[in-house]
Each structure stands twice: as C-alpha cells, then as structure tokens.
Amino acid sequence: MPRLFFIRQCVLASLVFALVVPMPAKAQASGFPIPVPPSILTVPLLLLLIPLGLELSKTDVTRIRDFEARGDWGGVVALASRRLSEHPGSLRWHEIRGRALQRQGRCADAIPDLRLVFDTLLAQPEVPKQSSFDLGLVLGLCEMALWDFPSATMTMSRLKVLAPERWEPDYNLGVIRTLQTDVATVTPPADSTLRPMGDTRLVIGNRILVLPPGNWFQVPSSQHTVRGSQIRWATSMVTDTTIITAPAFSMDKEGRLAAAVVFSANPKQSFGASWWVVDKPCDEDGALYIERFRSPLDRPECLTVRIVDPAAALTSTHLRPALLAAQAASAKLPAASYEVHYVRYGLDWTVAASWLLPVQRVPGDLVIIQWAHALANGLRPMASEPADQVVPAPLMGPLH
C-alpha cells in the first residue's frame, strides 16, 4: 500500500473517530500520524510568495532572509508594517506580515492580514489554487486556535470547495463539530493550600518564559549539567554547563490539570560550548509529529508532539517534576493530553521547554502543531543570543 494512501486512510479514520466517539476521546486523541503541509510551518516566506509572482527588492529579500535566519519574526512584522505604510493595500506585505505574526503565535493579530489576502485571491477571475489553499489553511488554523469556530467553519468550507481532493478541510470540520460546546472560565481552586504564582513568569538568568493566563503554581527548580566542546568531536576542551530546570502547573476551578510546563536553560553563557554531547534529544517513540530543523547531530534542535494518557505522561523525563507536584496537589490528570517538547543546543546556550496540554484545550492535531512551532520560533533565539530574552508562550484555549 503506498505510504500517502495509508496516511490518508489514517486521517479518514481519525475523522470518523472524531465524529462518533464522545468527548474527551476526540479526533486528536486517536494518535494517527498527521501529514502536516510544510508550507504552513517551516518553508521560508520568500518561497511561499513565488507562486503569486510577487517580487521584492533585493534589500528587502536580504532583510527577510536575515530575520528568518535569526528567528526574528518581530523584525519581519516591523518591516512589513513599514512597507504597508508606504504602499497601503499591498497584498504581498499583508501576507508576509500575517504569516510572520502567525509564526509568532499571534493569531489574533495575523487574521486581518490573512483574511484580506485570502478573500482577495478567491475573488480573482483565475484563482491561484495552491497558494490560496495554503494561505486559507493558515487562516483557518488561526481561527481554530482562537476558538472562533463559526469563522473557521466558513474558511474550511471554502477550502473544501477550492480543493475537494485535500483532506485537511474535512478533518478540521470534523474536529470543530466535536468541540462546539460551552467553554468554562478558568478560576482559582476554591480550597487550594498552594501558593499561586504572583508573577506568571519562569525566570532562568536573563531567559524568561511568560506563561499564558491561568492559575499557575511553581515547583522548586532543579539543576543538572551537560557537556559541550569548543571543537566538534573534541575529547578535550570540554565545558560542563549548568542547566536550570523550572517546572510549573495550573489547575482549573474543579481541580483538573489545565496545563503543565517545564522550562530549562543555562543561566550563564557557556563560552566555547558550541558542540554538545547529548544523547537522543529527539525522541521518536510514539511521536505524532517530529521536526529536526535540519540540525547537526552535535548541535541538535528538535520539536516533538505526542498524545499521552496519564501513565505515559508520568513517565516523561521532561514533564515528570511538574506532574508529580500537580498530583501531590490533588490535580486530576486528563485522560488524554498533548505532550510538546522543544529543545535546542546552540552557540553557548541551550533551551528546552516541555508542555502537557489536555486535548480539550486544543482544537485538533494541526492546531497543536501550529502552536508547537510558534513556541519553537519564540524560544529559538534563547539558544543563540546573549541578550536578555523575554518570550511569551503562545496562547491556548481554556479547559472545558
């Protein structure tokens, strides 16, 4: 059986599962591999614009490439905003800005740009099918990430008409139908003896991860060391680098675990530690999605997404400290969760973050993968830039 046909059959099975199995065992809890279109996640912006026949000045091309190489999506947004002030209504700059905002996890800000371009493309006498579909899928996933299901349904329905042979619209429409229910407000546990975090930030040296809204409780930090060398494959000139790990978790008013996070980084620059001695940073076991970012073996970068039950979650070496503390506080672990893990060993710096999110907080596999990439894009500069880094985690839906 051809691989593509097999994957599509898995997706169809996942969709059927979504439509017939009661909550919370929804479509995304099925664990089928999802063939995520790379253009919405990792393909450089300049390549995405080629199908539209859009041209940029050599100076702007150089700037965008430089921003992307450094993971500076804010720089791309600022450049696009300047160009839009000079050329109001330019579709190319609206698309560049919208896609850059989406890669930052700022879907609420991205949607006006994405919708303007998508609507304009569909109104053309000859619709550029591939580029319109890719852009519309980004728009629809952003709408789903914000739980704007009426808008997402309209977008996915238009995509289904545009490209009836593609599986993504049907899959996402199935996910939406399983999630259309009232959303509860997240409030503090009534009788908790825990001390909520007054400042919802995890701070390691000059690296700060800002947590999304919620009732967060911090767990005592720990530390370990990793070894890095100044020269690739060197057996001498090895540096031991101290890594601080800061866990936290949040609960809803019913005492259910709403999220857990473990954030790790070196608090001080490890000068010369640019080639790292680490074992299997990219764990493939049971992964729903894996992205290695073409990184070398001794300076790895990896993003993984998997679906776990409580037993599997507690065996996670990344999340275990946060989950054990949550259990000690009588938090109820979800029956099915997404586990997201990102790690990068860069130039003199390392950074890692692991998240556990109940499937009820994320509308589908494609949205969690979009969320994971936004997290990676935000954290990536922490592993290469010595300057202060303050990174907000991407927003997520409330637990319901």
Side-chain angles (χ1 to χ4, degrees):
M1 179 184 295
R3 174 176 170 78
L4 180 58
F5 178 78
F6 172 75
I7 290 177
R8 287 180 175 174
Q9 293 305 306
C10 288
V11 172
L12 289 175
S14 180
L15 175 59
V16 172
F17 189 86
L19 296 177
V20 301
V21 177
M23 294 287 287
K26 302 187 297 297
Q28 59 265 44
S30 63
F32 288 113
I34 298 299
V36 180
S39 61
I40 69 172
L41 300 172
T42 59
V43 172
L45 295 182
L46 297 176
L47 292 181
L48 291 171
L49 296 176
I50 288 176
L52 297 179
L54 299 175
E55 296 181 357
L56 303 173
S57 70
K58 291 184 178 180
T59 300
D60 286 339
V61 167
T62 299
R63 287 176 177 172
I64 292 175
R65 285 176 176 166
D66 181 59
F67 286 139
E68 285 198 273
R70 293 187 284 114
D72 185 2
W73 296 106
V76 177
V77 172
L79 174 63
S81 295
R82 288 197 299 271
R83 293 296 177 263
L84 282 169
S85 67
E86 300 164 358
H87 308 285
S90 169
L91 288 184
R92 64 182 175 186
W93 287 113
H94 275 294
E95 179 171 358
I96 290 173
R97 186 170 69 179
R99 287 183 179 271
L101 288 166
Q102 179 260 346
R103 294 192 186 191
Q104 285 184 297
R106 298 170 55 188
C107 276
D109 297 322
I111 283 176
D113 285 320
L114 298 174
R115 185 174 290 148
L116 170 65
V117 180
F118 183 58
D119 288 345
T120 303
L121 291 177
L122 291 191
Q124 294 180 1
E126 295 185 6
V127 178
K129 181 176 177 179
Q130 184 62 52
S131 55
S132 298
F133 185 93
D134 289 346
L135 182 66
L137 186 56
V138 172
L139 169 62
L141 291 179
C142 265
E143 292 166 338
M144 290 177 68
L146 296 175
W147 292 72
D148 183 358
F149 290 154
S151 297
T153 297
M154 181 178 298
T155 299
M156 293 299 170
S157 298
R158 296 170 79 185
L159 290 178
K160 185 174 179 178
V161 172
L162 178 64
E165 73 280 5
R166 295 290 293 265
W167 61 267
E168 297 94 328
D170 279 328
Y171 170 80
N172 287 304
L173 288 169
V175 171
I176 290 170
R177 283 194 290 270
T178 69
L179 292 175
Q180 287 179 320
T181 184
D182 293 335
V183 176
T185 302
V186 178
T187 57
D191 300 319
S192 176
T193 58
L194 294 172
R195 179 177 299 178
M197 295 171 62
D199 180 9
T200 55
R201 304 185 306 165
L202 297 178
V203 181
I204 301 176
N206 65 346
R207 270 69 180 134
I208 300 174
L209 177 63
V210 182
L211 302 178
N215 306 300
W216 288 97
F217 304 90
Q218 189 159 6
V219 180
S221 299
S222 62
Q223 68 179 51
H224 65 283
T225 61
V226 294
R227 311 193 76 189
S229 172
Q230 296 180 13
I231 304 174
R232 179 178 285 192
W233 313 124
T235 56
S236 60
M237 304 177 68
V238 172
T239 300
D240 286 335
T241 301
T242 298
I243 306 297
I244 303 296
T245 295
F249 66 92
S250 66
M251 292 192 295
D252 72 353
K253 64 179 181 179
E254 298 178 356
R256 299 177 298 175
L257 183 75
V261 59
V262 177
F263 174 52
S264 301
N266 49 317
K268 297 181 180 179
Q269 187 170 6
S270 184
F271 293 98
S274 301
W275 311 103
W276 301 91
V277 183
V278 292
D279 295 327
K280 199 178 180 182
C282 198
D283 185 3
E284 301 181 13
D285 293 341
L288 174 75
Y289 178 82
I290 300 174
E291 175 61 62
R292 294 183 179 85
F293 305 99
R294 299 182 180 179
S295 59
L297 291 176
D298 49 357
R299 201 161 64 200
E301 180 180 13
C302 189
L303 174 68
T304 58
V305 179
R306 56 174 41 85
I307 296 173
V308 294
D309 59 18
L314 287 168
T315 63
S316 169
T317 56
H318 310 299
L319 287 163
R320 187 174 173 81
L323 297 182
L324 289 178
Q327 277 197 323
S330 300
K332 302 173 186 175
L333 300 187
S337 302
Y338 286 114
E339 178 192 349
V340 176
H341 178 64
Y342 172 75
V343 61
R344 185 186 184 196
Y345 293 87
L347 300 174
D348 303 338
W349 298 93
T350 73
V351 62
S354 298
W355 289 79
L356 189 80
L357 302 175
V359 293
Q360 295 97 327
R361 298 197 70 172
V362 186
D365 295 340
L366 297 182
V367 173
I368 190 61
I369 294 170
Q370 173 182 255
W371 186 93
H373 269 275
L375 175 71
N377 288 332
L379 293 177
R380 184 170 293 115
M382 286 190 178
S384 59
E385 303 291 339
D388 295 354
Q389 302 282 335
V390 180
V391 176
L395 296 177
M396 63 192 73
L399 186 63
H400 65 283

